[in-house]
Amino acid sequence: MSHLVEIRNLKVEATTDAGRRVDIIKGVDFDIAEGEIVALIGESGSGKTTIALTLLGYTRTGCRIAGGSIRVAGRDMARLTEKERTRVRGSEVAYVPQSAAAAFNPAQRIMDQVIEITRIHDLMPRAAAEAKAVELFRALSLPSPETIGTRYPHQVSGGQLQRLSAAMALIGDPKLVIFDEPTTALDVTTQIEVLRAFKSVMRQSRMAGVYVSHDLAVVAQIADRIVVLKGGEVQEIGTTSEILSAPKHPYTRELLAAFSPPGRVAAQAAAESDAARPVLELEAVSAGYGKPGADGTPLILAVDKVSFRLERGRNLGIIGESGCGKSTLARTIAGIIPPASGQIYFDGKPVAPHARDRSPDELRRLQIVFQSADTALNPAKSIEDILGRPLAFYHGLRGAARDARIDRLLDLVHLPRALKHRLPAELSGGQKQRVNLARALAADPDLILCDEITSALDTVVAAAIIELLKDLQRELGLSYVFISHDLHTVQAICDEVAVMYRGEKVEQLPAGDVGSAAGHPYSRLLMSSVPKLDPTWLDRLERDPELVAAFAKR
Amino acid sequence: MNTHLLSLLGGRLLVALFTLFVVSFVVFGATQILPGDVAEVLLGQAATPEAVAGLRSAMHLDDPAILRFFYWLGGLATGDLGTSYANNMPIAQLIGGRLKSSLQLAAATALFSVPIALALGITSAMLRGTLYDRAVTTATITVISVPEFMVATAGVLIFAVWLKWLPSLSIARNVDSFGELIRIYAMPVFTLSFVISAQMIRMTRAAVVEALNTPYVEMARLKGASRTRIVLRHALPNALGPIVNAVALSLSYLLGGVIIVETIFNYPGIAKLMVDAVSTRDLPLIQSCAMIFCFVYLLLITTADIIAILSNPKLR
């Protein structure tokens, strides 16, 4: 008995709504030594969170541990009664949730929730617990550690909540802490602070940890060993440097390859022949939400005097952190949110601010693809109907001609034709995003606005979508405005990149030059904050404190 | 933060007052378009035109309706509800006793049914999917589907006629013992509870189930919290808004909507008074009763709103 955690032949099965039983974890084995941090990595549906939760003896509704053993400090969590498990939870094994914003009870003060574990397990008197919490707040470099506990969850930022949730887990001095994608919902500049705080606290306390993530670069910074999972099975286990430098399993290699997609070969040829005609031009466009004030500016200005030119056949990337106005910009260009001031030119001609005042042809030539295919596709319509509607609307296609065009569209996005009779819910996430794209292509557009279309997808699937976008551009001569918070994705497809900060475009530069020393300080901060596969990156990273103070949301 | 709260609460109260004003206008207007002339009705067929005209001017019936509306509204505001057309008694006096009995019945029903309904709703949410939950759900649906006159009549038949445990009428006789009081109230309270509990149980269950499905409840479970702690500390405070609204809506029914129960048990409440007033064309009485119903309704809904605001730190 040398390891803190020994998982042997773990099997978890889920019961579907139809009553069918499906194995979601198919015999997993691994160990965690005292003080060691092990990362579970894999795409969505690989079972990484399910495995992590079994360490607490917990499974989500509809799932159950079907076999095997999960020994934590000598006790088999699978064999314990529910009552014995509740005694272990929080005191010996603690959990840091994926979305701290959702995991904090909105009706309770933060302090009450952070020290709740000590109350439940009767670990120490209230005053001692509060003192310890304040100490943890300080260790996690939270602002005003003395008073932050008296606030309610909605009164602090997302990055702060994520660190507070770590304090909540560490308060009971557990032997093992489970981090469930704790930085996935954060912006990169915030993620660094949180990762650093986690790392230093874990190092000091010598606790063991399980770090669940889909992001290899993040995991590389914090984990000692990595377990690569796919479809509920272990693909490869190795130390962090082994996995990163000498991956053995093909799937691990695929993951690593997807992380650094091939850069874009600039579409110079196309651009030069047609350079005189910008497909899209924005002149000092402002837009926002709320009632316009006396001078016509909206109450909350989300886009502030943004100008750019996009030539035919070229792609513009727009990057920035959440709340910088990049999605509002896409909606403004599409005419969903009319600009408060400024002018949009499409193909050299000014277009009406509001989509309803634009001609059908203008609407047809400018299409938008939304982030979440789940909500953008009507769940009650078959794929055929979803693709058929723009064909009938823009091109008046009916009957056999329409069917033939639907088949071609499915071919274009590399989906089997047989899928057209299915409903969106019967497709995978990547397939839905392809249908979402095909729907925009149905209009036969000149320009497609892609609003974070790969954000909800797994790395490997997202890389495939990017490849598809490139193919389509080659075949159909499209232009893209590609909006994303992920620099790698943007660099993979765009010729130029515009960086947005608080509604303003701070700079625009060729994709290859992004991250170079030149340029706006905010862009430099943003680029330097993107995690790299190098395990020493976080420790070596030195950020200009003035830059951080000026731009990073803490 | 606090001024924000005050303005929020003040806004709610203003809206309630405005609603009350609009309702008074509608109530007054509706009674004005009832067919028939009050003076003629009061004086009977043999009245001379002079007598009718005299009575009309004495009752201000010839004034424009809008003027009479404000006379009436002014009277309401100063506590003068007017005089009954039917028997010339002050309306305040007519309503007084009836309102008291109605409130007694409502209070007894609320005390009986609200705790039971909340307990059933919360426990069935905690034990969701179990036999107990299904039994409670089925029972509530059954109860909703059975009309109250059926419950009341069956109650009278079983407990008063066959078993002879309870009196079939609930006229507030001189009550000299607590046991007597319970015997008088048992059947009306029981019947009314049947009617109003179902909605409260269903809403409570739905609100708690929703709160139990949130990530913060999962988090509490992973902290090792017991089921009771999870429900009391994490789920209930966040489900309070919908629950108090359901309770307020159900309770508001207890004043205006109990005419069937009051008739069957011959209980001297205010709903019965209003129906009697309609048959005697006693307009001031009808108006006053309608205003009381509306007032109580608004009072309950506004209270529920305020509790919901106070229980939500984001609004507070």
Side-chain angles (χ1 to χ4, degrees), chain A residues 60 105-106 113 116 121, chain B residues 218 223 229 233-234 238 313:
Chain A
R60 296 221 159 111
N105 181 344
Q113 304 190 52
E116 190 174 11
H121 300 285
Chain B
E218 182 177 68
K223 288 191 212 170
R229 186 183 180 97
R233 300 289 288 268
H234 294 282
N238 289 291

Side-chain angles (χ1 to χ4, degrees), chain A residues 333-498:
Chain A
I333 297 171
I336 301 169
I337 300 167
S341 62
Q343 181 62 53
I344 301 168
Y345 298 91
F346 184 68
D347 206 11
K349 291 186 283 288
V351 289
H354 209 292
R356 65 167 171 248
D357 303 323
R358 294 183 185 174
S359 72
D361 195 50
E362 283 169 342
L363 292 176
R364 175 185 71 74
R365 292 169 63 190
L366 198 164
Q367 292 288 311
I368 184 165
V369 181
F370 292 105
Q371 170 170 7
S372 169
D374 284 320
T375 50
L377 301 179
N378 184 339
K381 297 273 185 199
S382 69
I383 303 307
E384 188 174 20
D385 290 342
I386 289 172
L387 296 180
R389 179 156 162 73
L391 291 175
F393 180 77
Y394 289 119
H395 305 294
L397 288 180
R398 309 231 175 299
R402 199 190 72 141
D403 291 345
R405 184 87 177 104
I406 291 175
D407 286 347
R408 264 219 54 208
L409 285 170
L410 289 173
D411 291 347
L412 269 178
V413 296
H414 306 315
L415 283 176
R417 292 182 181 183
L419 283 187
K420 65 181 172 187
H421 303 299
R422 299 223 199 141
L423 295 174
E426 293 162 350
L427 303 183
S428 73
Q431 287 175 328
K432 271 184 273 196
Q433 200 56 279
R434 282 166 194 263
V435 172
N436 204 10
L437 201 58
R439 179 170 61 175
L441 292 174
D444 209 357
D446 293 341
L447 175 68
I448 298 183
L449 306 170
C450 303
D451 185 5
E452 298 260 19
I453 59 170
T454 57
S455 305
L457 303 176
D458 292 312
T459 359
V460 176
V461 183
I465 293 277
I466 296 293
E467 282 310 304
L468 172 65
L469 286 174
K470 288 185 192 170
D471 288 350
L472 290 173
Q473 180 160 44
R474 218 172 299 132
E475 283 168 47
L476 308 174
L478 299 165
S479 297
Y480 301 117
V481 171
F482 197 91
I483 290 163
S484 179
H485 66 279
D486 180 9
L487 183 65
H488 291 295
T489 321
V490 170
Q491 274 178 327
I493 188 157
C494 294
D495 304 293
E496 298 226 335
V497 176

